Amino acid sequence: MTIYTTAIGNYVSQRVADNRQWYESKNMLDGATDLPKSAEVLYHLLQYALFLLINDGHTVMVLGVSSDDKFALANHLPKWQITCLSPVLDTLQQAAGEVVDFADIFCTIQNASHSESKTDWSVLIARLKHRYMASLNKNTHNHAQISHLLAVFELLLRAFFVMNKIRSLPDLVKTLQSNLFFADIIKAQQTTSVALLYLQPPIDYVYQHEILWLWTHRAYQAEMLLMRHIIRLAGANVPQFSLDIPDGINDKQRAAMAMIGNQAFGIITGGPGTGKTFTVAQIVIALARQQVPVRLSLVAPTGKAAQRMGESLQAAMPDDVELQLPEPKTIHRLLGIGTNGQARHHADNPLPQDMIIIDEASMLGVELASQLFAAIATGCRVILLGDANQLAAVDAGAVLADLCRIDSLGDLRVHLDESRRFDGKSGVGRLATLINQQSYDNKAFLAFTQLHQACHDVAYTDIEAFVEPSSCYEQLAQPYQDFFAATYASRFEFAKLSDDTIPEFINNLFNILNKYRILCAAHKGDFGDEKINEYLTKIHKKYQKMPASLSDWYHGCVVMINKNLYEFGLFNGDVGICLYARTGLTVYFEGESLRAVPAQLISDAVVTTAYAITVHKSQGSEWQQVAVVFDENNARLLSKELFYTAVTRAKSQVQIFSTADAITQAMTTPTIRQTGLAKTAEIITQVG
């Protein structure tokens, strides 16, 4: 994405300039509307930095909060300044593949700007660019990438020169106030200024309590609209309904049921086995017993999560209740989002449902959540389900975690904390709790070691003990032996099965497969899922004594769909097993109904091998035994949320393949996403 952000910035700045000139020619603007070069440079730097932050899951840049940034302190740079520059600095450092001495570069610019003699900036910039390019040339970059990185490097230098003349954060705010590329949100909502109404600045900001919040206009609109729609839905008057409280339900579950019975909007959170699904099942049963029919939808962010939601809800239904649940859907499918990205349902054409239950809400990004809540009609009951300790969405935002932190929504949420899956003896449950409770100290790995030594269901293998990664892969492959044997036994027999016996065979094969899964932090590297899948593919083929083939498809291979394929009834996250059937290689997908697609009809672009998958892809799934694999090369991805999510995918046993340092980092590094949803709630309270 970052390759195009400078082009976007150039396009936007040209649009702002064109708009200014047009309205100026019509005498429709109030006051001066000059666009000095320094204003444009500042906009380009902050816009590029915001795009980089969005790419990492953030929605906002926050300046003025306390920081211990060593770079800032060592070089006497203001903390607000280094926060602005850091996303770009990180990108340039990573591209160089070595430590570039930006402290010395900034010092050179500072000295030049303070020099009494006139500085030839073109010569200075050319010299510094040549210095940076020497680092780039040591790495594999094509011409287009090098040109882009040098343009970003030059932008950084020019922006630093501009920022160096701004003494403090309040002075920066004054600079933004006179810059047409930036809009003060509070002022914009209270003013009648034609300039602010028509120029549509691309960056929005709020400065309050000595803290500056900066959004791209699109990110601000998504968070503001989402918050407004939640307030709208939560404030609706809905008919109350009574609930028959079943035996064995705890006080928190009672509170959750009462909340939904009395309110239009509710959030139910909790870890694995705390009864979220059971609680919702009782609510669904109570609704079904009402005299007035209720139009209910069950939705989740991914196809896999939606499928599991339906299965879990059905399993939670008492034997004496006959209730046909609606087919769970992805949010995209519920909204009718087509290949062009346009939704059939939106604010002007709302959904007809009376109740919508949204599972795995931790996976919700702010843009999709904003689209979804805009399309829900006032008076529709909405229930959000999820585990706020899990990984946040792949897309920008952390909607569930944000909503759980907003004080004004406190009466709209219940947290379930009594797990029936993991009791006090469960090592998996104890490890999940340990990860959530860890703060940064040097005793984290010691606590982990003591736990795995005391619990037979938590194992640890130090990957530094392996001379070659392949030795680790061999151990990772061992729990798949039953699956390998089952596919080998059926290699020449599956095609002979009758149509009546195929569904049972497929179900049994998936039961064997789902006893185990390998979860990785990343795709790349020796311990990423790509290399592990490559190795497991080889040994699976070898186990079945298969001849060499140019095709990636073979009997027994495990695959995952990574894009919704509505024409086949397949969704992102669906797992399939390829088998040699009567009609040739066919991929069978797990689920209540048998879904079979000829392998030749599935493009390589929409499917990946899935003996090992990333932790992100594992959300919404569970297996009896899980192997979790990561090392220091995954440092940027390691966090408490990633480790917790991986561990809680295991029902009964987890084995960690890692190092002491990587585990310490994973246990003590919280995912800190800078988001503005709570801030938009404050703004709505202020200005309405």
Side-chain angles (χ1 to χ4, degrees), residues 112-129:
S113 64
H114 296 149
S115 174
E116 294 183 2
S117 59
K118 188 175 180 181
T119 302
D120 188 337
W121 285 105
S122 61
V123 173
L124 177 61
I125 287 174
R127 177 161 56 85
L128 293 174
K129 283 173 69 176

Side-chain angles (χ1 to χ4, degrees), residues 14-177:
Q14 187 59 51
R15 283 292 302 272
V16 170
D18 291 345
N19 284 353
R20 174 189 65 83
Q21 291 172 1
W22 191 90
Y23 287 107
E24 201 171 50
S25 69
K26 302 295 182 182
N27 296 318
M28 296 175 66
L29 298 182
D30 308 333
T33 58
D34 293 335
L35 284 175
K37 191 66 179 176
S38 60
E40 195 168 340
V41 167
L42 190 60
Y43 155 66
H44 278 286
L45 186 282
L46 287 173
Q47 184 257 13
Y48 188 77
L50 283 167
F51 270 129
L52 292 172
L53 289 174
I54 288 171
N55 205 37
D56 284 339
H58 310 283
T59 61
V60 67
M61 178 185 287
V62 185
L63 308 179
V65 295
S66 60
S67 171
D68 293 325
D69 192 293
K70 295 178 181 178
F71 185 87
L73 296 177
N75 294 278
H76 310 292
L77 296 178
K79 292 175 184 177
W80 68 265
Q81 193 174 104
I82 202 65
T83 302
C84 292
L85 300 172
S86 284
V88 182
L89 283 170
D90 290 344
T91 297
L92 293 171
Q93 286 278 21
Q94 289 169 20
E98 60 181 44
V99 177
V100 178
D101 193 352
F102 280 104
D104 183 61
I105 290 171
F106 289 159
C107 186
T108 301
I109 295 175
Q110 285 176 323
N111 292 338
S113 64
H114 296 149
S115 174
E116 294 183 2
S117 59
K118 188 175 180 181
T119 302
D120 188 337
W121 285 105
S122 61
V123 173
L124 177 61
I125 287 174
R127 177 161 56 85
L128 293 174
K129 283 173 69 176
H130 180 76
R131 179 172 159 185
Y132 178 64
M133 189 166 69
S135 297
L136 292 179
N137 287 335
K138 297 176 184 178
N139 291 275
T140 305
H141 296 294
N142 60 39
H143 179 72
Q145 289 170 327
I146 290 176
S147 296
H148 168 75
L149 290 166
L150 288 176
V152 173
F153 181 76
E154 181 173 344
L155 170 62
L156 178 76
L157 301 183
R158 293 186 181 279
F160 179 74
F161 177 76
V162 172
M163 286 183 177
N164 199 43
K165 296 181 179 298
I166 302 172
R167 295 182 178 275
S168 65
L169 189 57
D171 288 338
L172 173 65
V173 175
K174 290 179 183 177
T175 303
L176 300 184
Q177 288 171 345

Side-chain angles (χ1 to χ4, degrees), residues 338-654:
T339 54
N340 61 357
Q342 299 298 311
R344 185 169 66 253
H345 292 286
H346 41 74
D348 295 327
N349 181 33
L351 293 159
Q353 278 74 12
D354 301 307
M355 185 172 191
I356 297 175
I357 302 172
I358 306 160
D359 199 11
E360 295 292 348
S362 63
M363 300 170 70
L364 268 179
V366 68
E367 291 248 2
L368 184 58
S370 182
Q371 272 189 290
L372 172 60
F373 284 98
I376 299 175
T378 303
C380 173
R381 268 189 169 85
V382 179
I383 304 176
L384 281 178
L385 298 176
D387 185 347
N389 292 318
Q390 282 192 32
L391 278 169
V394 175
D395 298 327
V399 173
L400 181 64
D402 283 347
L403 294 177
C404 290
R405 286 192 288 261
I406 297 175
D407 292 339
S408 60
L409 300 180
D411 293 338
L412 304 179
R413 65 176 181 265
V414 174
H415 178 68
L416 308 180
D417 53 14
E418 185 179 317
S419 178
R420 297 189 179 184
R421 182 190 305 169
F422 302 134
D423 58 23
K425 297 180 181 178
S426 166
V428 176
R430 289 170 62 185
L431 178 55
T433 301
L434 178 66
I435 294 167
N436 280 335
Q437 292 177 345
Q438 273 301 313
S439 57
Y440 182 75
D441 60 49
N442 57 6
K443 296 180 181 178
F445 184 72
L446 175 62
F448 168 80
T449 301
Q450 291 172 339
L451 188 147
H452 91 76
Q453 289 175 345
C455 301
H456 70 279
D457 52 346
V458 176
Y460 169 57
T461 300
D462 185 351
I463 57 179
E464 288 186 329
F466 295 112
V467 178
E468 295 291 336
S470 59
S471 300
C472 179
Y473 304 161
E474 287 178 16
Q475 282 199 27
L476 288 168
Q478 285 304 310
Y480 273 130
Q481 295 305 307
D482 287 348
F483 177 70
F484 291 169
T487 54
Y488 176 64
S490 65
R491 184 179 167 197
F492 300 108
E493 301 302 318
F494 180 73
K496 301 175 185 178
L497 295 180
S498 66
D499 292 341
D500 292 339
T501 57
I502 286 177
E504 183 180 0
F505 177 88
I506 297 297
N507 185 56
N508 289 336
L509 192 58
F510 269 108
N511 286 338
I512 296 171
L513 173 66
N514 289 336
K515 290 179 180 178
Y516 176 65
R517 200 58 44 93
I518 302 167
L519 306 183
C520 304
H523 292 301
K524 304 295 183 182
D526 286 337
F527 300 102
D529 65 350
E530 290 181 358
K531 285 198 174 181
I532 294 173
N533 279 322
E534 184 180 337
Y535 178 87
L536 286 168
T537 296
K538 276 184 188 176
I539 64 169
H540 193 179
K541 286 181 175 180
K542 184 178 179 181
Y543 191 104
Q544 298 187 87
K545 301 175 183 177
M546 288 184 171
S549 171
L550 296 176
S551 174
D552 291 329
W553 295 104
Y554 57 92
H555 181 82
C557 74
V558 181
V559 296
M560 175 180 280
I561 297 294
N562 55 36
K563 182 180 179 182
N564 293 337
L565 300 176
Y566 297 114
E567 65 272 29
F568 297 131
L570 300 177
F571 303 97
N572 186 3
D574 280 350
V575 173
I577 302 173
C578 181
L579 299 172
Y580 195 81
R582 288 193 298 271
T583 55
L585 287 170
T586 303
V587 188
Y588 294 85
F589 292 88
E590 63 181 329
E592 292 184 3
S593 59
L594 185 65
R595 294 171 295 167
V597 181
Q600 64 198 34
L601 297 182
I602 302 177
S603 166
D604 291 344
V606 300
V607 70
T608 55
T609 308
Y611 302 98
I613 61 175
T614 62
V615 178
H616 273 98
K617 283 291 189 181
S618 76
Q619 286 180 274
S621 297
E622 295 172 336
W623 300 275
Q624 288 297 327
Q625 179 184 355
V626 161
V628 183
V629 191
F630 56 84
D631 65 356
E632 288 86 347
N633 291 320
N634 307 132
R636 286 186 67 247
L637 299 170
L638 297 184
S639 68
K640 292 162 69 78
E641 290 78 6
L642 181 133
F643 199 13
Y644 170 85
T645 301
V647 167
T648 54
R649 298 312 89 199
K651 291 182 180 181
S652 59
Q653 186 177 1
V654 63

